[in-house]
Amino acid sequence: MQILRIDSATTGEQSVTRKLTQKLVDHFRQQNPDATVIERDLVADPLSHIDGITTAAIRTPPETHEEAVAEAYPEQRAVLDEFLASDVVIVGAPMYNFSIPSQLKAWLDRLGVPGVTFKYSEAGPEGLAGGRKVVVASARGGTYDNDQIAENQESLLQTFFGFIGVDDLHFVRVEKTGFGPDAIAAGLKAAEEKIAGL
């Protein structure tokens, strides 16, 4: 079994989502002691935002690549390959300004690959990246419902992962992180109970 841990919070040890991703890794390793854990810290080792070269590397066949695209291809493809090779993917996703951190969006941009993680047909889009469990570790300063116009964090992730075929998707969240230490502690306790049921 392979577990992939993605962290995107910029707040270091103060990050609630980093606490959650660690608790999730510990939980799944307890269930699977021989699991391999791959960690990708998008703050310590950020991915660039996509440009013409990286887009071509991600989305076009290798045999069509010109020199600059061919040079970029291995690093870009590695991001997708480690996702596809993982049985459990843990995604640390704090809400920043009503959405996700741009570092995390850059990671998602490398997963949406036509013909690999999704395809189109007359019947509409079809996701091809099922067969793995994705758990989103979410933290938000206030409280939000997913139908609120300001909620563009969890809803974005739910839409994206659903689009590429992930149907085993879970959210473990701590809300009211802006309300102070007591609210955070209560949120983490509730999150631990949810993690225990995964």
Side-chain angles (χ1 to χ4, degrees):
M1 170 183 247
Q2 179 166 299
I3 300 167
L4 174 61
R5 174 184 178 176
I6 303 294
D7 282 303
S8 65
T10 60
T11 49
E13 294 182 1
Q14 302 302 313
S15 166
V16 172
T17 59
R18 288 177 184 269
K19 291 179 173 66
L20 289 176
T21 57
Q22 184 61 59
K23 290 178 186 296
L24 284 159
V25 168
D26 293 344
H27 170 75
F28 287 112
R29 287 198 75 174
Q30 187 175 26
Q31 292 181 338
N32 304 277
D34 296 328
T36 300
V37 179
I38 306 296
E39 297 188 355
R40 184 176 281 273
D41 188 329
L42 299 173
V43 177
D45 189 16
L47 297 166
S48 65
H49 294 295
I50 57 173
D51 57 19
I53 291 173
T54 52
T55 297
I58 295 162
R59 291 180 163 246
T60 61
E63 62 271 16
T64 68
H65 292 171
E66 297 178 0
E67 183 177 354
V69 177
E71 289 177 3
Y73 176 77
E75 182 179 357
Q76 303 305 313
R77 180 67 192 213
V79 177
L80 175 61
D81 286 344
E82 70 184 11
F83 173 79
L84 293 175
S86 297
D87 304 285
V88 176
V89 180
I90 298 165
V91 182
M95 175 184 273
Y96 285 1
N97 299 312
F98 306 107
S99 187
I100 60 173
S102 61
Q103 296 94 328
L104 184 55
K105 178 61 166 61
W107 178 73
L108 293 177
D109 285 338
R110 284 150 172 91
L111 305 187
V113 181
V116 180
T117 58
F118 72 92
K119 67 179 181 179
Y120 289 109
S121 71
E122 294 300 323
E126 178 185 350
L128 305 174
R132 71 205 77 254
K133 182 188 296 290
V134 175
V135 185
V136 175
S138 168
R140 320 200 259 202
T143 57
Y144 296 86
D145 294 321
N146 282 2
D147 60 353
Q148 283 183 301
I149 196 165
E151 203 296 295
N152 301 299
Q153 171 221 16
E154 291 185 5
S155 57
L156 183 156
L157 294 166
Q158 187 169 26
T159 299
F160 177 83
F161 284 116
F163 182 80
I164 66 171
V166 174
D167 55 9
D168 191 1
L169 176 64
H170 306 267
F171 287 84
V172 176
R173 74 179 59 87
V174 175
E175 296 199 303
K176 297 185 177 181
T177 62
F179 285 52
D182 291 345
I184 292 172
L188 285 170
K189 182 178 180 181
E192 287 174 356
E193 294 173 3
K194 181 154 188 179
I195 290 169
L198 292 175

